[in-house]
Amino acid sequence: MQKQQGFTLIELVVVIIILGILAVTAAPKFINLQADARQSSLQGVKGAIQGANGLVFARAAIDGHEKKAIADWAASEGVDIGAEELAVTNFGYLQADMDEFNNAIDADFGTADAEWIVVATPPTLTITQNGSPTEVVGTSACKLVYTQAADANTVPTYVVTDNGC
């Protein structure tokens, strides 16, 4: 009788199958794809808002309205950006107002089933994804905070906080 020198093919196949099953069940716990997707979505929204704001400012500058504050606009005035309504800008940029964002970006932030939740508290506008964590202990939630231009010499700020995704 000979002594066995290694593993049989069946034993190796069984071990490989067991390792495959463990990898499929354990991998999602180590790879947080939802957080990565939320972070990417926030970056995409930030880019869309920056792009729209650049176009709005360009149009306001062409029309000579880049130095007008919100209070300087008359009731029926605004910048024609090709949307349904004229955009009432703040120093040439979008103001932190949900209606102005919906008009300029052609979004629908205000509905209950919208993908994005927007809270407008001028001079800031906070955007979070529907279903994302709202608060993580010790950190801020997964959000984008848009702060409108304070005067004619400053630009709006876009701060993405994605450590709570």
Side-chain angles (χ1 to χ4, degrees):
M1 197 162 160
Q2 283 188 335
K3 196 173 188 184
Q4 187 175 1
Q5 295 294 321
F7 297 106
T8 65
L9 183 59
I10 293 174
E11 290 171 330
L12 290 174
V13 169
V14 168
V15 169
I16 290 171
I17 290 172
I18 291 172
L19 288 175
I21 291 170
L22 287 173
V24 167
T25 58
K29 294 179 183 178
F30 296 108
I31 303 170
N32 193 354
L33 296 178
Q34 262 191 348
D36 292 343
R38 284 194 180 106
Q39 290 168 353
S40 296
S41 293
L42 271 179
Q43 291 297 334
V45 168
K46 176 185 173 189
I49 292 170
Q50 284 177 319
N53 228 354
L55 294 172
V56 168
F57 183 81
R59 185 60 196 195
I62 289 170
D63 293 345
H65 299 304
E66 73 274 11
K67 302 227 184 269
K68 265 190 177 179
I70 298 168
D72 298 336
W73 289 99
S76 62
E77 285 186 321
V79 177
D80 184 7
I81 58 172
E84 290 181 22
E85 298 176 21
L86 297 175
V88 178
T89 61
N90 185 44
F91 303 109
Y93 295 102
L94 292 173
Q95 55 178 301
D97 178 77
M98 193 167 2
D99 293 333
E100 290 298 327
F101 263 76
N102 285 338
N103 184 37
I105 299 174
D106 196 22
D108 196 12
F109 288 135
T111 61
D113 61 342
E115 182 180 353
W116 300 97
I117 299 168
V118 178
V119 177
T121 53
T124 64
L125 188 96
T126 304
I127 302 171
T128 56
Q129 193 172 21
N130 199 354
S132 69
T134 54
E135 195 67 33
V136 177
V137 177
T139 63
S140 297
C142 185
K143 64 185 173 184
L144 166 66
V145 177
Y146 170 78
T147 305
Q148 67 188 19
D151 55 46
N153 298 320
T154 60
V155 296
T157 59
Y158 312 83
V159 177
V160 174
T161 307
D162 58 8
N163 56 356
C165 292

